Amino acid sequence: MLQQLGASTTHSGIDIPAPEGTEIISIMEGEVVSTGWGGAGGYTITIESLDKVYKFSYCHSDPNFIVRKGQKVQKGEVIGKVGAKYVTGPSNNPYKDSTGQNTNGATTGCHCHFTLRKNGELIDPEEFLAEAKSKEGGFI
């Protein structure tokens, strides 16, 4: 898996710096399987492909979710927005910055973090996206 520069820990996935409020776009057709607090991922939206092979999570999103669990989404559809670094909920949030303010998961600033699973196993999203982009009819 990838080690992302600027991340507070080594972790899998892709971190994309983006201003708060930036639209998050679904990379695939699928169904929303969860929206809510995701621990270190902060507020998270997870989409499962219709064939139930892939799950793509969009972490550190705005808690005012645009989509809801069970909703079908299309590739290219706006599904959320990048959230703020600081959040007031949930009450059991253990993630804080050096000043003690609650953060949107284990985050060092505004960004969207993407993780991808294939049949339950973490896979490298950058390799997946490069392969999909090179194939006709891929997700991209």
Side-chain angles (χ1 to χ4, degrees), residues 63-81:
N64 299 306
F65 298 108
I66 293 172
V67 295
R68 66 190 180 289
K69 184 177 178 181
Q71 181 177 339
K72 300 283 194 275
V73 297
Q74 300 299 311
K75 178 174 78 170
E77 183 177 339
V78 175
I79 58 168
K81 294 185 177 182

Side-chain angles (χ1 to χ4, degrees), residues 31-36 45-47 65-72:
E31 181 176 337
V32 179
V33 292
S34 66
T35 60
I45 302 164
T46 301
I47 309 283
F65 298 108
I66 293 172
V67 295
R68 66 190 180 289
K69 184 177 178 181
Q71 181 177 339
K72 300 283 194 275

Side-chain angles (χ1 to χ4, degrees), residues 27-125:
I27 67 153
M28 65 181 157
E29 182 179 9
E31 181 176 337
V32 179
V33 292
S34 66
T35 60
W37 182 254
Y43 289 103
T44 301
I45 302 164
T46 301
I47 309 283
E48 183 174 56
S49 60
L50 294 178
D51 61 8
K52 302 202 181 293
V53 173
Y54 295 99
K55 282 188 180 176
F56 208 95
S57 294
Y58 305 80
C59 303
H60 311 301
S61 68
D62 187 297
N64 299 306
F65 298 108
I66 293 172
V67 295
R68 66 190 180 289
K69 184 177 178 181
Q71 181 177 339
K72 300 283 194 275
V73 297
Q74 300 299 311
K75 178 174 78 170
E77 183 177 339
V78 175
I79 58 168
K81 294 185 177 182
V82 172
K85 176 180 179 178
Y86 297 107
V87 295
T88 56
S91 60
N92 63 344
N93 182 0
Y95 302 100
K96 301 180 185 334
D97 71 3
S98 60
T99 68
Q101 289 185 287
N102 286 335
T103 61
N104 190 356
T107 179
T108 55
C110 274
H111 70 284
C112 192
H113 174 89
F114 300 101
T115 58
L116 180 62
R117 293 182 181 272
K118 181 177 182 181
N119 297 318
E121 298 292 321
L122 279 171
I123 62 173
D124 185 335

